[in-house]
Structure formats: C-alpha cells, structure tokens
Amino acid sequence: LSDIEMPEENGLELFAWTREQGYDIDCIFLTSHADFNYAKEAIRLGSVDYILQPARFEEIEAGLRKHVEERAERLYLKELKKRQNVLKEKESVLIDQTFEKMLNVGFLTAEEQKFQIRSLCHKQYQQSCFYLFSVQILQWTNQQWSSQLVRMVLSNVIGELFEPYECEVLLGGISDMDYAVLLHGNRSSITESVILEKIQTMYQFVQEKMTFQIAVYLEGYIESVHQGLEELCHLMRDNVLQKAQIFSSENKENATLHIEQL
C-alpha cells in the first residue's frame, strides 16, 4: 500500500524497483493527484488498485481485504496447478512402468492385468471397456522434438478428441518414439465407429499440422493388455517400409487399414 508522491522517490518508482528485483508483490496506490499519467503508469506496472485521496478508512480497508483475498486465491490456484503438473508427470511414469510390466510379464492373469490398469483410472462406468491402439513416430519433416514434447502433443490432441465422450486416455511410452494409447470408457456411449472416426481425425491432423509423420496401429477392444501390446509390437515390426498409414490387427494378411475404409 503506497502513496505516489513521497520524498526522494515516488511510489511508482518504488513499485517498478520491486518488479525489477523479481518480487511477487501486489500494490495499491494512494494519491491525491487525479493525474491520468499517474494512473496510466500504475496500470502499466501492474498495480491492483488506484485509490484517490481523500478516501475513507473503510474504503481503504475494503480494498485491502478484497485484494488480499484475491491474492490468496490466485496463489492457491498457482500452487494447485503446480501440484497437478507434478502429479501428471508422476502419472506418466507410472503408466509407462505399468505398460512395460504388462508387455514383459506374461504370466499375469487377465484379472490381475485389469487390476493393474484400473489402478491408473480415475473414472468408473456401468459398461466399462478398454480400447487399445498405438502411435509410432516415423520421420521428421523438421527439427526433431523431445519425446516429452511429442507425448504432450499427442496426449492433448487425443484427449481433446475424446473429451466429449468422458473417457479416459492413458498414453504410455513403449519405446523412444512408440506410444501405446489405452482408452477407458463406457461402451454404450463410445462405440467402435466413434473411436475409429476420432483416430482418423487425429491421424490426419498430425500428418497435416505436425512436423512428424506417424503410423497408427489398431488392436481394438481388449481383455488382456499383455496380449494386446504384443500384437501392437508385432504390427509395428511388420511395418518394415515405415509407411505412414493406419494398420489393424484384425486382418493379418493385409494389415493396412486405409483411411477411406474407416
């Protein structure tokens, strides 16, 4: 809470100094000068209020209380966002570890695998179902991105496409540039035709807008995560020409599933 006109330096210069030092400080200016240039500079510096004197003590107190509460809420939301980001990073590691375990440990029963996967899920459905596919980064048309950035982009794109259906998207890395995607949703509301349509949209968007090319491999609805991941790995190995297409495990003799067929 600062006056503007003071000996030696004014309040605007004081607040500018706190900004230069990197202090996270909210400022309310008090002034008896209704000078537009003062107000303009105060706004430019980011002050939260500008009170003209003479002002009643009740008015100043109300302004202080209001901005203290707003600052507390803003800091709380900032901390909450920070915690969410940390949890999201940890969740990504947990998904990776779970997929790796599902792929390499074949003696787990289907029920044990479901328990492992459900431990990653946050939602429950009356007709719960799991749909598995993978995305493989094939080639770059520009500077190569980090795997973390690729993962974030794929998660955001796929998440937005399936958001209207309130299903969960679990994306895990199974190698440096190979990602398995497990959709968890309600079978009555997210049908296979919807899933294929959204995967097609995702594929076309990446091919047209991103700086990398992809191949997509469809496993479909699954009971065994281990078996589904194994099938996807076989499909990726069979794509020896590294074609940017959509492939399906349903047709082994001609695995390519062209976009127009979707």
Side-chain angles (χ1 to χ4, degrees), residues 25-183:
I25 293 176
D26 291 340
C27 182
I28 298 175
F29 282 116
L30 298 172
T31 182
S32 57
H33 298 281
D35 190 324
F36 175 71
N37 288 327
Y38 277 169
K40 183 179 178 181
E41 179 64 10
I43 293 171
R44 187 189 71 80
L45 290 171
S47 67
V48 296
D49 211 342
Y50 189 89
I51 300 175
L52 282 174
Q53 299 276 44
R56 294 182 300 111
F57 288 143
E58 292 82 2
E59 180 184 351
I60 297 174
E61 181 184 6
L64 278 169
R65 289 187 180 279
K66 172 177 177 289
H67 292 296
V68 165
E69 290 173 2
E70 287 179 353
R71 176 180 174 83
E73 182 178 2
R74 187 172 72 249
L75 292 178
Y76 171 75
L77 292 174
K78 183 179 179 181
E79 179 63 22
L80 188 62
K81 183 68 174 176
K82 181 180 177 181
R83 292 182 183 182
Q84 287 175 337
N85 289 337
V86 171
L87 287 174
K88 191 171 183 179
E89 289 177 5
K90 289 183 177 179
E91 186 177 52
S92 297
V93 173
L94 187 59
I95 293 173
D96 287 353
Q97 291 175 343
T98 302
F99 281 1
E100 182 181 4
K101 185 176 182 180
M102 294 295 100
L103 183 59
N104 296 322
V105 183
F107 58 81
L108 292 178
T109 67
E111 287 302 316
E112 289 173 329
Q113 293 180 49
K114 281 185 179 180
F115 176 80
Q116 293 279 346
I117 293 299
R118 287 183 187 279
S119 66
L120 301 174
C121 300
H122 305 291
K123 296 182 179 180
Q124 293 183 345
Y125 305 98
Q126 288 185 340
Q127 295 178 304
S128 186
C129 67
F130 293 95
Y131 189 98
L132 183 65
F133 67 96
S134 63
V135 178
Q136 183 180 38
I137 310 300
L138 298 177
Q139 56 186 339
W140 297 87
T141 56
N142 208 324
Q143 184 178 1
Q144 183 170 335
W145 298 357
S146 67
S147 58
Q148 184 179 6
L149 181 57
V150 173
R151 181 183 191 135
M152 183 185 71
V153 169
L154 291 176
S155 293
N156 289 341
V157 171
I158 298 170
E160 287 182 13
L161 286 171
F162 287 98
E163 185 177 9
Y165 303 93
E166 297 184 351
C167 68
E168 294 182 285
V169 177
L170 304 179
L171 187 146
I174 51 180
S175 69
D176 287 343
M177 286 298 165
D178 300 328
Y179 302 89
V181 183
L182 190 65
L183 302 177

